[in-house]
Amino acid sequence: MLLTPNGQVLTNNHVVAGATRIWVTVEGRPGALEATVLGAAPLDDVALLQVRGASSLPTVRVATSSGLRVGDEVVALGHPSLRGDRAVLTTGEVTALGRDVLVGPGERLQDLIETDAPVRPGESGGALVNAVGEVVGMITASERTAFDRVRSSFAIPVERALEIVEDIRAGRESHRVVVGPAAFLGVAVRDLDPSTASRVGVDAGALVVGVVPGSPADRAGLRDGSVITRVAGEAVTSVGSLRPAIYTREPGKRVTVTWVDATGVHTTSVTLAEGPAV
């Protein structure tokens, strides 16, 4: 969703996570414009982009979700991945408010708007609008049946997304909000399972299952099977605690990383790189 005529775009963080280059297309205008990530709140699934060289772009009209009631009519607008560049709208009703939804291992989004408007993969970041075309939410997830039919769709209340936007614009970085480029260690991780924990003799940590060649982690000596237990002296108990310990720091910053592997406990100082979008 375009928020400003000069090209600030609101979208879900999971839409751009891992991206090294991003392009934005605008309905009714030819070509694509490159964009950068101004900031993101990965735990809230919100990201703010800036389109380069943009001006006089059409913007959305924003309302508030506070006036929504169960039974209100809504429209979901998005670009399903199977429909190419064509925008699609679907209609429905608000079926619940204040829903908490598990969207990944250990990842829970809270206080969402639930509707019965069917949305498809690719519509994430699209607008949920009220009967007069004002944005009340941002499409972020759907619940599907065993036959791949949409049972429910979920949207982040627009005022909550815009609070994060204002934090990013003001440079208010926190454990939830990343401003500017994210730092990068260079590991793929998953939560520690009981058998690995027993084998390496640790109770908690983030298990390394992949290392990017040439990354800070690679140069430090981390390998598959290593278990990261501390960053900058703070305990790492899971993937959920490792990610913000890395991406909320500035690229180029030196931090100590402690890990355990088959040869023992290791602590070294690494210089974090500038990574892809988080």
Side-chain angles (χ1 to χ4, degrees), residues 43 56 74 78 82 88 103 109 121 129 165 173 182 187 197 208 219 232 234 262 267:
L43 298 179
S56 303
V74 288
L82 299 179
V88 173
V103 293
L109 295 177
V129 304
V165 166
E173 198 156 27
V187 291
V208 176
R219 293 192 294 272
E234 299 179 2
T267 298

Side-chain angles (χ1 to χ4, degrees), residues 108-120:
R108 181 178 295 276
L109 295 177
Q110 299 179 322
D111 196 29
L112 302 182
I113 304 164
E114 179 184 326
T115 82
D116 60 5
V119 301
R120 295 287 178 182

Side-chain angles (χ1 to χ4, degrees), residues 129-155:
V129 304
N130 60 20
V132 293
E134 298 168 326
V135 177
V136 294
M138 178 167 62
I139 299 166
T140 191
S142 64
E143 185 179 57
R144 314 184 80 79
T145 69
F147 301 100
D148 201 34
R149 294 179 179 175
V150 177
R151 179 184 288 116
S152 301
S153 58
F154 302 94

